Amino acid sequence: MQFPTNQNNSKSPAEMGEEQLLRPLIDVQTDLKAACLLKDAIARFSTGYLPSKSLENTQKLLGITVPTLRFIRRFPTLFHEFPHPKWPSLARFELTHVAKLLRQQEMKVFDECQTDLVERLCLLLTMSKSQMIPLQSIHPLKWDFGLPDDFDKNLVKRFPDHFQIVKGTNGLACLKLVQWREEFAVSELQKSNEKRGLESDNGADGRNAYKYREFKRGKSALEFAMSFPRGYGAQKKVKAWMEEFQKLPYISPYEDSRRIDPNSELVEKRVVGVLHEFLSLTIYKKTKRNYLRSLREELILPHRFTRLFTRYPGIFYLSLKCKTTTVALREGYRRGRLAERHPIA
């Protein structure tokens, strides 16, 4: 398929307008995520406080645009600052009473959503080629998947029939899926198309059951929801390309992709399906592009898969806010807000 280009704009279609939609959300969540990471770090310390020296060189890790010490001092409601007991010239930070109460509420929500979080993690592992992923690639995704700080210990301990820690071929510690029922491995695109099919064909149970089986087998040309930047989607070339792409058979991200001809156009639709499903599994329907890059081999993605985010601006959009590249699922948002809010969100 020949993808149409927009020669009248200096920016790519995916950059036209979406930055304004995501900017407030990314700003707020960047600060919120950093504050939560600091809160968890303090909670892990046996002393109950975090020395200021430990905050050195953490700015990049937290994803913030200001020095960490300046950042943590912006939130006196969450963090108390005191002189260090041994070195009075240095500062230490403790959680305030309010922060402790919020942490208790957070733990309660994690417990209430435990089944959902386990399923999301299982689906992520099911998508991987060997049904296991290095822990170092999952830890950065804790915020995006709504996982508790100690998921690699508590979830494995609570659900030994689902997860186990193993050593990968590269020597890295990996989270491995022990067992998963195949009938649960149905993508969000399949679910949404089935839901629309049931609504439009209410009463025809036999036909819908057949359609659902076809969805799972990947034989139907399931359509991705698309919403283009203003004026772009109305172009004739774009419409023709969109219709051609939508007619290609859909390959579930949970199916073995090795049977697909590597030179076939189905490969690209399969990759788009994997990226769509991955973002659908996240709490905020978005993630950092670098996090996806670290999963390239596990998800069987091509070397230059990130170009698909600008190649399919009707499905994805990018933000360059906060000195990082964030990719989001367009259908996950309505007027710059999450279309469906998860309890953890």
Side-chain angles (χ1 to χ4, degrees):
M1 291 182 296
Q2 181 63 39
F3 180 75
T5 57
N6 190 342
Q7 300 178 350
N8 297 323
N9 294 280
S10 58
K11 290 187 176 182
S12 67
E15 296 173 327
M16 293 161 43
E18 285 79 11
E19 188 73 22
Q20 295 180 354
L21 291 177
L22 270 183
R23 184 178 290 121
L25 185 67
I26 291 177
D27 275 338
V28 171
Q29 286 193 12
T30 296
D31 287 352
L32 183 60
K33 179 180 179 180
C36 283
L37 290 175
L38 289 167
K39 167 187 62 66
D40 293 338
I42 294 174
R44 284 196 300 268
F45 267 68
S46 58
T47 58
Y49 63 82
L50 189 67
S52 58
K53 192 170 182 62
S54 299
L55 299 176
E56 295 178 359
N57 303 318
T58 60
Q59 179 179 336
K60 185 176 181 181
L61 178 66
L62 294 171
I64 52 181
T65 56
V66 297
T68 305
L69 199 57
R70 188 194 307 175
F71 174 84
I72 198 171
R73 283 171 173 159
R74 288 180 177 176
F75 303 96
T77 307
L78 297 177
F79 307 108
H80 269 316
E81 182 176 353
F82 297 100
H84 196 282
K86 290 186 178 181
W87 303 281
S89 61
L90 297 178
R92 64 171 180 170
F93 296 90
E94 299 177 359
L95 295 181
T96 65
H97 179 65
V98 171
K100 292 176 181 178
L101 288 176
L102 288 173
R103 179 171 170 79
Q104 292 175 5
Q105 294 177 12
E106 183 183 43
M107 293 301 103
K108 182 180 178 182
V109 175
F110 279 136
D111 287 339
E112 293 172 349
C113 297
Q114 186 172 253
T115 301
D116 176 70
L117 299 180
V118 167
E119 182 175 333
R120 289 171 187 268
L121 192 54
C122 284
L123 288 171
L124 175 61
L125 293 171
T126 303
M127 274 199 291
S128 65
K129 62 181 179 182
S130 57
Q131 297 197 329
M132 67 179 186
I133 297 176
L135 285 172
Q136 68 176 25
S137 296
I138 300 179
H139 275 291
L141 294 167
K142 287 187 294 186
W143 175 267
D144 295 335
F145 277 76
L147 300 173
D149 185 51
D150 57 355
F151 81 95
D152 53 339
K153 297 178 181 178
N154 279 349
L155 286 186
V156 172
K157 185 177 180 180
R158 292 183 185 180
F159 300 92
D161 54 333
H162 285 73
F163 312 111
Q164 66 178 134
I165 305 294
V166 300
K167 183 177 289 187
T169 55
N170 52 7
L172 297 175
C174 298
L175 185 67
K176 182 176 178 60
L177 185 67
V178 176
Q179 185 179 10
W180 182 247
R181 293 169 61 181
E182 184 182 352
E183 58 266 31
F184 287 157
V186 181
S187 71
E188 287 300 313
L189 184 63
Q190 291 169 324
K191 291 176 184 177
S192 62
N193 274 268
E194 170 64 7
K195 182 179 179 181
R196 287 197 293 269
L198 288 171
E199 290 175 350
S200 63
D201 197 18
N202 190 23
D205 295 334
R207 187 166 17 160
N208 282 321
Y210 171 75
K211 286 169 61 180
Y212 188 65
R213 289 194 297 271
E214 292 300 290
F215 290 165
K216 291 200 66 180
R217 293 171 185 166
K219 293 182 179 179
S220 293
L222 302 188
E223 294 188 359
F224 290 91
M226 289 193 179
S227 177
F228 289 97
R230 182 179 299 178
Y232 181 77
Q235 297 180 26
K236 291 183 179 179
K237 289 184 178 180
V238 174
K239 286 185 175 180
W241 157 78
M242 182 173 60
E243 291 175 359
E244 187 179 352
F245 171 77
Q246 298 282 34
K247 289 177 182 177
L248 292 172
Y250 173 74
I251 307 298
S252 170
Y254 302 110
E255 289 187 27
D256 186 354
S257 63
R258 289 174 294 185
R259 62 183 177 83
I260 305 175
D261 181 353
N263 298 317
S264 168
E265 291 180 340
L266 288 179
V267 171
E268 186 162 301
K269 187 159 187 177
R270 180 258 168 194
V271 174
V272 171
V274 170
L275 298 173
H276 180 279
E277 180 67 5
F278 183 94
L279 293 172
S280 296
L281 291 176
T282 62
I283 299 298
Y284 297 99
K285 311 307 175 190
K286 65 180 181 64
T287 192
K288 291 185 179 181
R289 185 171 59 181
N290 286 341
Y291 295 169
L292 277 165
R293 279 181 174 151
S294 69
L295 293 170
R296 188 186 65 79
E297 292 186 6
E298 282 77 14
L299 299 181
I300 319 178
L301 300 174
H303 283 280
R304 300 180 61 190
F305 75 91
T306 57
R307 67 185 176 85
L308 296 179
F309 297 136
T310 51
R311 182 170 163 82
Y312 293 91
I315 302 174
F316 313 108
Y317 57 69
L318 299 177
S319 169
L320 304 179
K321 186 67 178 174
C322 296
K323 297 182 180 180
T324 187
T325 302
T326 301
V327 57
L329 196 62
R330 289 187 63 98
E331 66 187 82
Y333 292 86
R334 297 289 184 275
R335 296 181 179 179
R337 296 179 179 271
L338 279 170
E340 296 181 7
R341 287 180 60 84
H342 192 279
I344 289 179

